[in-house]
Amino acid sequence: MKKKASLDVITIAVSKGRVFEESLSLLAALGITVPEEDLDGRKLLLSTSRPGVRLLIIRSRDVPTYVQYGVAELGIVGKDVLMEFNGDGIYEPVDLGIAKCRLMVAVAEDGTENRRRMRVATKYVRSTQRHFAQKGQQVELIKLYGSMELAPVLGLADCIVDLVATGNTLKANGLVPVEHISDISCRLIVNKAAMKIKSDTLKSLIEQFKQAVKK
Ligand code: PRP
């Protein structure tokens, strides 16, 4: 008897924002495209030019969760997000080499206050904790959700931990990078259980991603 067709449907979770355009270009290199009119941000589950492959458009921090629970078999997500993710059930087979940037500590150009315990503002709490713990430095973490550059300027924190690509955002806000924590790029992630159940389809897709990255 023939296998149920639905077994071979593959959902790829991608996120709007920083990595979206480059994710779409990479998918296009695999021959997986989405009609322009579907990219206006309202439709969240999109059919693609490849039968059996659909895209799920979600917040970047939700990508690992959707893949962990197998709602999406594959995901394209920044290493910065994966470093904050506290779950399991996913493999990370390919460094896609897109949306490259660095996770860095930055301070105000005109110096910091002299607090006994340094205050660090960030949304990258786990990576920041790990970084300062490795240095044996006790810091006070202030969790923010965006516009972190303001924190040292307004005296909320002594430094921030944030992504730096061109460095323009730091510069525009009078900040300078002082410590490099990690190089960041997008990764392909895959649900571990799906890797067994849809093995042939997923292995083939992963190989296509690898080939597209080499080009
Ligand atoms: C990131 C980061 C900086 C900016 C750095 O924000 O938080 O604000 O990019 O880029 P640059 O060095 O090229 O100026 P992102 O665009 O990912 O959005 P976010 O503010 O939601 O994190």
Side-chain angles (χ1 to χ4, degrees):
M1 218 169 75
K2 264 180 113 181
K3 270 192 208 166
K4 264 206 249 163
S6 65
L7 264 187
D8 293 315
V9 170
I10 300 296
T11 304
I12 307 176
V14 298
S15 67
K16 282 268 184 195
R18 207 171 55 83
V19 306
F20 191 57
E21 295 299 329
E22 288 185 74
S23 301
L24 289 184
S25 304
L26 184 69
L27 286 165
L30 270 73
I32 299 173
T33 56
V34 176
E36 197 65 35
E37 62 269 25
D38 284 351
L39 294 173
D40 65 2
R42 290 176 213 286
K43 236 173 146 179
L44 304 175
L45 195 54
L46 311 178
S47 307
T48 70
S49 54
R50 189 183 292 196
V53 174
R54 57 184 192 167
L55 294 192
L56 180 61
I57 314 291
I58 50 180
R59 293 288 293 267
S60 59
R61 290 199 175 204
D62 292 333
V63 169
T65 307
Y66 274 79
V67 175
Q68 173 183 13
Y69 284 93
V71 175
E73 287 78 9
L74 293 173
I76 296 176
V77 66
K79 185 68 181 173
D80 53 316
V81 173
L82 290 172
M83 282 160 47
E84 294 298 306
F85 180 61
N86 196 16
D88 52 15
I90 58 178
Y91 295 120
E92 190 191 309
V94 190
D95 181 347
L96 300 171
I98 56 170
K100 284 187 182 174
C101 56
R102 287 147 286 146
L103 187 65
M104 302 204 67
V105 182
V107 298
E109 253 165 8
D110 51 10
T112 59
E113 289 182 37
N114 236 340
R115 288 194 182 87
R116 205 164 55 84
R117 187 185 282 202
M118 191 165 72
R119 277 198 204 153
V120 189
T122 190
K123 64 178 172 188
Y124 301 99
V125 171
R126 277 166 64 90
S127 303
T128 301
Q129 271 164 345
R130 213 176 297 134
H131 174 70
F132 286 103
Q134 272 165 6
K135 290 182 21 162
Q137 189 176 350
Q138 285 210 336
V139 297
E140 182 182 338
L141 267 176
I142 300 179
K143 165 98 190 196
L144 293 179
Y145 293 89
S147 307
M148 287 173 280
E149 298 81 10
L150 284 174
V153 178
L154 299 178
L156 173 64
D158 303 299
C159 66
I160 60 169
V161 168
D162 197 7
L163 298 181
V164 181
T166 60
N168 290 341
T169 309
L170 289 185
K171 214 171 184 180
N173 290 286
L175 303 181
V176 284
V178 287
E179 282 172 42
H180 174 275
I181 298 181
S182 180
D183 284 330
I184 302 291
S185 57
C186 267
R187 309 298 160 105
L188 181 71
I189 57 171
V190 53
N191 173 273
K192 282 186 179 174
M195 205 51 202
K196 294 198 182 103
I197 302 161
K198 302 180 181 182
S199 169
D200 291 349
T201 314
L202 284 174
K203 276 186 184 156
S204 156
L205 262 170
I206 291 168
E207 191 49 40
Q208 290 167 47
F209 273 103
K210 285 184 179 162
Q211 293 307 323
V213 170
K214 273 191 204 158
K215 279 182 192 159

